[in-house]
Amino acid sequence: MVVQPPKCVSPIQSAIVTGELKAEVADDSQHLMVSTDCKAEKSPRIVSKYGRKGIKTEQKQPKEPEESSMQRRASARIQAKQKADKELLVRRRVELLDEQDDGGNETKSRSKRSRVTENVVKEEVVEEEKRDITAPKSKLDESTKLESKAKVKGSEENVDSKNGGGNLVEKSDTLKVKQTLRLFNKHYLHLVQEEEQRCRKVEADRKVSKKGSKSKKGAPPEDIKNPSKRPDLKALSKMMENNEILYPEKRIGNIPGIKVGHQFYSRAEMVAVGFHSHWLNGIDYMGQSYRKGLEHSKYTFPLAVAIVLSGMYEDDLDNAEDVVYTGQGGHNLTGDKRQIRDQVLERGNLALKNCIEQRVLVRVVRGHESASSYTGKVYTYDGLYKVVNYWAEKGISGFTVYKFRLRRLEGQPTLTTNQVYFTNERVPQSAAEIRGLVCEDITAGQEDIPIPATNLFDDPPVAPTGFTYCKTIQVSKNVKLPAEGTGCNCKGVCVDPRSCACALRNGSDFPYVSRDGGRLIEAKDVVFECGPNCGCGPGCVNRTSQRGLRYRLEVFRTAKKGWGVRSWDFIPSGAPVCEYTGILTRADDLDRLDYANDNNYIFEIDCLQTMKGVGGRERRSQDASLADIDLLDKSDDQNSESAPEFCIDAGSTGNVSRFINHSCEPNLFVQCVLSSHHDLKLARVMLFAADNIPPLQELTYDYGYALDSVCGPDGKIKQMHCFCGAAGCKKRLF
DNA sequence: GCGGGTCAGAGGTAT
DNA sequence: ACCTCTGACCCGCGC
């Protein structure tokens, strides 16, 4: 659990950080178990255990006694970097202050700049798309061919890389899918917010009209009806408009980056990546228009590429490996969901029939009812199926239906019960069901929801010890919290972004939507929440991160990474997971003490770094929050050293977040939040869900080391292995 | 609180 | 112009 300043983009800054504060960290693997359990580590019994686990010993190898003290002295390289960094920072500061000075003008130039950045990104995407389209598409008439194709694709997969800020960043297909889904979620949440505002307005209007003219019974409800405007579909439209659909062309066979077992949380997600190009149709097929394409000249169209089994057709039969799929048409779409007409061999039905003759494989997705999703439904990709044969018969309702027998292609990952019938069966329902329980509640009752710890790796299983749980941040003696900031004058809950002072700080917007108990729409430089001096109550959406734990978390022993954290509940993207708590200390004070103590739990509060950070979700480009606020001169005063002034030290005291591991492709991101005061240097550090996170997936965030940023006492670059296991893992933590 | 009823929604496909 | 059937709201039912 080495905690870094999250996401240091500037290598210089990270060099300073890593070179100084993190020096001792170098020997520990990314939050190895070692550090998570001080007592255990000291116990001879446990030490021998570590010895047995070869990996751990290896990781410990680089530890040399002189390291910690010596690394404190910055190497020449670091010093040079420091200098450059300072200059950069000063320049940035000047820019920011300038912007502040000429108000509107500035904002303009600012947004312009961000637009430029956007364009660059877009161009890259377009480039990728071009490549995808022009890439030779092998035709697969046989499963063997298909498999070889898959292999070829697979090897191509990691080749394409993106040059981001001088760092060569590999972009795996998995990551592309992830980013596309994040983009979708971002659009979605924006539109949910619009929708929520619209509904509120409608509600308010309704109240007014009720009060104003009770006699007018037949007052036209107008748009009061049907408040649902499908933000999911709107998000798709937006993505199409922006050319953000990952694979806009339909494809036969597997889609790069989407493995068997992949879970989609709505039909719209499948459209966003191009896995199934319609949010409503069951059968996705290539129509006549694909006839023109050279690479498809030998096929007869229409040709099915993907189907969704949602159990909606009364005549469907689903036996996992063998499926009898009812064709489309003749269905009473609303109401009783029965057949009301004969089906005809056309459209999707014809497309499936053509698959038989031409031996084209079809992707099969199953829909399941599940609490583990914001829609209450989960769609799992169950792999490629061969359409074996088809026939017409009289269905249950007495109308002609077409039936297609599909058989699952062999050699694909096993279809587990869990995938076919998606349930939370692995999630314990009570304490008695927890396997390997070593501690019923590490919070000792402090949190509303207990956090158990489990250990299935050690013998005997140890519990995490050596720290005191504290739900909220503790302030050390040398730190004085700034005076409480002024708040907004809203009553009850904040709703109007034009009048709420806190919303204005966020760029005249609320950073959260109300849906699902509050979700952050996208990562921001800093989020201004309502605080103690605000007129609103605890139910205000702009206090989303102040409500404590919302999900049932578990601290569990991992194979290679010490302790880790996962959730038993589904966590929707943008939901707050936990705050990083500990002792709020001056970085200077820590310097002296903590190296001796091998403290790997220091989180440096540095919004500037976090702001410029990568990973997590793309941050709002037109974000004006920084330019508007007076906070800059507070955080930006004369002391222009780049090192952060304050840290959160969770070494001896902290909450569940001290157990969260690093990952190169994380599912959480760090967000600085200001609520009780407006001093950036003392912002609260919150972890939010970057993706929709299924139950039991380990929670991770990017510790943010820049590669080659850590130097040893000899000035040589130090390296540490990363065990996150992500497809795009950089293999090194630094 | 749950479950069935209701309906707009929007791109693809064919006419 | 037509086809597709999801997602989320609405309302009435039973507890």
Side-chain angles (χ1 to χ4, degrees):
Chain A
M1 291 244 135
V2 178
V3 175
Q4 309 329 320
K7 316 162 179 177
C8 328
V9 162
S10 136
I12 307 94
Q13 283 188 349
S14 61
I16 296 161
V17 169
T18 41
E20 299 197 337
L21 281 176
K22 305 310 176 193
E24 94 257 8
V25 159
D27 36 26
D28 238 310
S29 75
Q30 41 188 121
H31 23 26
L32 274 186
M33 32 164 63
V34 185
S35 52
T36 55
D37 189 338
C38 309
K39 275 183 193 156
E41 194 183 9
K42 275 165 194 148
S43 129
R45 191 187 58 206
I46 303 296
V47 167
S48 71
K49 173 187 300 296
Y50 288 163
R52 253 192 318 204
K53 294 191 181 182
I55 321 120
K56 298 280 152 54
T57 333
E58 274 168 34
Q59 287 163 352
K60 283 200 140 250
Q61 254 177 359
K63 191 175 208 165
E64 277 149 54
E66 73 264 42
E67 251 173 19
S68 14
S69 52
M70 301 195 67
Q71 279 181 353
R72 301 269 316 118
R73 265 168 272 138
S75 68
R77 186 171 165 276
I78 291 180
Q79 280 171 356
K81 275 181 168 181
Q82 247 172 342
K83 205 176 164 190
D85 186 43
K86 242 179 213 172
E87 279 165 16
L88 198 136
L89 230 99
V90 169
R91 225 180 318 146
R92 175 166 162 74
R93 238 165 232 151
V94 171
E95 277 174 31
L96 286 171
L97 288 173
D98 281 353
E99 283 170 27
Q100 241 179 330
D101 283 349
D102 18 7
N105 219 358
E106 256 325 313
T107 326
K108 231 181 237 167
S109 75
R110 188 186 173 78
S111 57
K112 204 173 187 179
R113 236 171 290 146
S114 33
R115 223 173 294 140
V116 171
T117 337
E118 265 176 16
N119 282 347
V120 172
V121 172
K122 218 179 240 175
E123 263 166 39
E124 277 167 15
V125 171
V126 172
E127 266 315 298
E128 276 170 24
E129 275 168 10
K130 268 190 213 150
R131 196 187 53 81
D132 280 333
I133 292 165
T134 48
K137 279 178 192 163
S138 52
K139 291 161 204 169
L140 27 129
D141 358 15
E142 304 155 359
S143 39
T144 48
K145 225 178 193 173
L146 172 110
E147 266 156 13
S148 71
K149 178 195 170 185
K151 262 174 216 151
V152 173
K153 275 260 158 224
S155 56
E156 270 174 18
E157 192 163 313
N158 290 323
V159 171
D160 84 282
S161 51
K162 172 183 146 184
N163 200 337
N167 264 1
L168 203 69
V169 182
E170 269 200 8
K171 207 169 165 189
S172 68
D173 288 326
T174 333
L175 187 59
K176 282 192 225 164
V177 169
K178 211 174 191 178
Q179 286 176 340
T180 307
L181 293 176
R182 281 179 186 174
L183 199 54
F184 169 78
N185 281 324
K186 191 185 90 176
H187 289 314
Y188 173 78
L189 288 174
H190 268 295
L191 293 159
V192 165
Q193 187 184 40
E194 260 176 40
E195 188 57 21
E196 284 178 355
Q197 272 161 9
R198 196 185 62 82
C199 289
R200 257 197 301 272
K201 198 165 166 272
V202 168
E203 192 79 11
D205 289 352
R206 187 188 287 169
K207 264 182 201 160
V208 168
S209 71
K210 247 186 195 170
K211 263 188 195 168
S213 51
K214 253 187 184 171
S215 53
K216 264 193 188 174
K217 243 186 180 174
E222 298 190 31
D223 57 345
I224 290 176
K225 238 182 83 184
N226 290 313
S228 162
K229 286 283 194 278
R230 299 297 297 260
D232 54 335
L233 303 185
K234 287 263 164 61
L236 285 182
S237 297
K238 190 152 219 167
M239 288 184 77
M240 283 171 189
E241 195 182 307
N242 300 350
N243 280 326
E244 290 165 344
I245 303 290
L246 185 55
Y247 301 112
E249 292 268 302
K250 295 189 196 211
R251 293 168 166 230
I252 297 170
N254 279 311
I255 298 292
I258 299 177
K259 298 190 198 83
V260 172
H262 185 102
Q263 290 176 3
F264 295 97
Y265 298 100
S266 75
R267 291 290 306 267
E269 279 194 0
M270 291 187 232
V271 183
V273 293
F275 187 84
H276 187 299
S277 59
H278 204 279
W279 57 272
L280 198 44
N281 287 5
I283 305 169
D284 187 23
Y285 61 97
M286 295 167 147
Q288 299 300 337
S289 62
Y290 281 81
R291 206 172 26 186
K292 293 165 205 152
L294 275 176
E295 65 266 43
H296 297 121
S297 54
K298 89 179 221 194
Y299 288 126
T300 308
F301 289 92
L303 209 48
V305 293
I307 61 170
V308 177
L309 285 105
S310 45
M312 156 152 206
Y313 277 79
E314 58 193 5
D315 295 311
D316 273 353
L317 190 69
D318 185 358
N319 288 322
E321 301 282 332
D322 251 308
V323 175
V324 175
Y325 189 74
T326 309
Q328 60 185 199
H331 197 261
N332 180 10
L333 303 174
T334 58
D336 57 5
K337 293 173 182 167
R338 316 209 82 194
Q339 292 299 130
I340 51 166
R341 250 177 291 129
D342 285 343
Q343 288 187 348
V344 184
L345 194 60
E346 57 177 19
R347 295 172 179 272
N349 299 346
L350 187 57
L352 276 172
K353 177 192 156 255
N354 285 338
C355 285
I356 304 172
E357 289 142 20
Q358 299 173 73
R359 301 190 181 191
V360 168
L361 296 163
V362 175
R363 300 186 290 272
V364 171
V365 175
R366 281 186 175 79
H368 313 272
E369 297 287 322
S370 170
S372 305
S373 165
Y374 67 98
T375 56
K377 247 183 171 175
V378 159
Y379 297 88
T380 57
Y381 175 40
D382 284 340
L384 295 171
Y385 282 64
K386 199 186 275 183
V387 190
V388 183
N389 58 350
Y390 85 104
W391 64 96
E393 65 176 40
K394 291 282 173 212
I396 293 171
S397 296
F399 293 98
T400 304
V401 289
Y402 281 90
K403 300 262 185 144
F404 300 88
R405 183 181 300 281
L406 293 105
R407 182 161 300 131
R408 193 158 187 265
L409 185 68
E410 281 171 33
Q412 300 188 91
T414 322
L415 204 53
T416 65
T417 315
N418 195 30
Q419 280 159 353
V420 180
Y421 305 104
F422 183 86
T423 59
N424 292 343
E425 61 187 344
R426 282 167 60 218
V427 173
Q429 299 305 310
S430 69
E433 289 176 34
I434 307 173
R435 292 200 320 147
L437 186 71
V438 287
C439 176
E440 276 190 32
D441 181 13
I442 63 162
T443 86
Q446 284 187 52
E447 304 279 5
D448 297 339
I449 306 170
I451 302 176
T454 61
N455 189 341
L456 292 167
F457 280 93
D458 296 327
D459 182 25
V462 292
T465 52
F467 75 103
T468 312
Y469 197 94
C470 79
K471 185 178 162 173
T472 52
I473 211 125
Q474 315 280 302
V475 184
S476 90
K477 278 178 224 150
N478 291 345
V479 177
K480 262 223 171 93
L481 279 185
E484 289 177 356
T486 51
C488 63
N489 298 322
C490 306
K491 295 255 161 66
V493 293
C494 300
V495 284
D496 188 354
R498 287 158 307 179
S499 66
C500 171
C502 299
L504 292 177
R505 286 196 177 88
N506 289 306
S508 301
D509 228 343
F510 289 107
Y512 301 107
V513 298
S514 312
R515 186 166 293 199
D516 305 314
R519 289 166 71 177
L520 183 64
I521 294 167
E522 61 185 307
K524 303 192 106 194
D525 291 343
V526 59
V527 164
F528 291 88
E529 290 198 353
C530 292
N533 288 334
C534 291
C536 59
C540 173
V541 70
N542 203 29
R543 294 176 185 269
T544 291
S545 81
Q546 302 168 29
R547 298 199 192 108
L549 287 187
R550 292 192 346 205
Y551 307 101
R552 293 175 296 165
L553 302 180
E554 173 199 352
V555 172
F556 70 106
R557 197 62 154 173
T558 64
K560 286 187 179 175
K561 301 185 292 185
W563 296 101
V565 179
R566 59 190 175 192
S567 167
W568 293 356
D569 298 311
F570 173 81
I571 305 178
S573 70
V577 175
C578 57
E579 180 174 355
Y580 195 92
T581 73
I583 299 170
L584 185 58
T585 321
R586 302 193 84 89
D588 296 344
D589 295 345
L590 263 181
D591 285 357
R592 275 173 241 125
L593 292 172
D594 75 312
Y595 290 102
N597 299 334
D598 215 11
N599 185 347
N600 297 330
Y601 297 89
I602 300 159
F603 199 119
E604 307 189 343
I605 306 175
D606 190 337
C607 283
L608 278 179
Q609 280 184 18
T610 318
M611 282 171 204
K612 292 189 278 176
V614 285
R617 299 188 298 179
E618 313 288 325
R619 87 184 171 78
R620 173 177 280 197
S621 50
Q622 73 276 22
D623 188 355
S625 58
L626 260 188
D628 305 345
I629 325 295
D630 57 326
L631 58 91
L632 262 188
D633 35 62
K634 280 186 193 164
S635 67
D636 237 0
D637 47 16
Q638 56 277 54
N639 61 0
S640 55
E641 74 224 38
S642 45
E645 211 175 313
F646 298 100
C647 307
I648 301 169
D649 174 10
S652 57
T653 302
N655 70 353
V656 63
S657 54
R658 72 196 289 285
F659 296 106
I660 300 178
N661 283 317
H662 161 86
S663 171
C664 297
E665 288 181 6
N667 51 15
L668 305 179
F669 66 96
V670 175
Q671 174 69 63
C672 289
V673 177
L674 292 172
S675 47
S676 59
H677 59 77
H678 294 156
D679 188 347
L680 266 181
K681 288 178 295 184
L682 291 162
R684 290 166 61 227
V685 175
M686 286 293 304
L687 295 171
F688 283 84
D691 306 306
N692 289 317
I693 306 173
L696 300 179
Q697 183 179 92
E698 183 178 356
L699 304 177
T700 54
Y701 65 98
D702 189 346
Y703 285 5
Y705 280 116
L707 284 189
D708 299 338
S709 63
V710 182
C711 297
D714 48 0
K716 278 186 188 160
I717 293 167
K718 295 202 67 164
Q719 302 193 352
M720 184 190 297
H721 293 293
C722 178
F723 292 94
C724 74
C729 177
K730 291 183 288 231
K731 305 294 173 206
R732 285 163 54 194
L733 192 52
F734 51 79

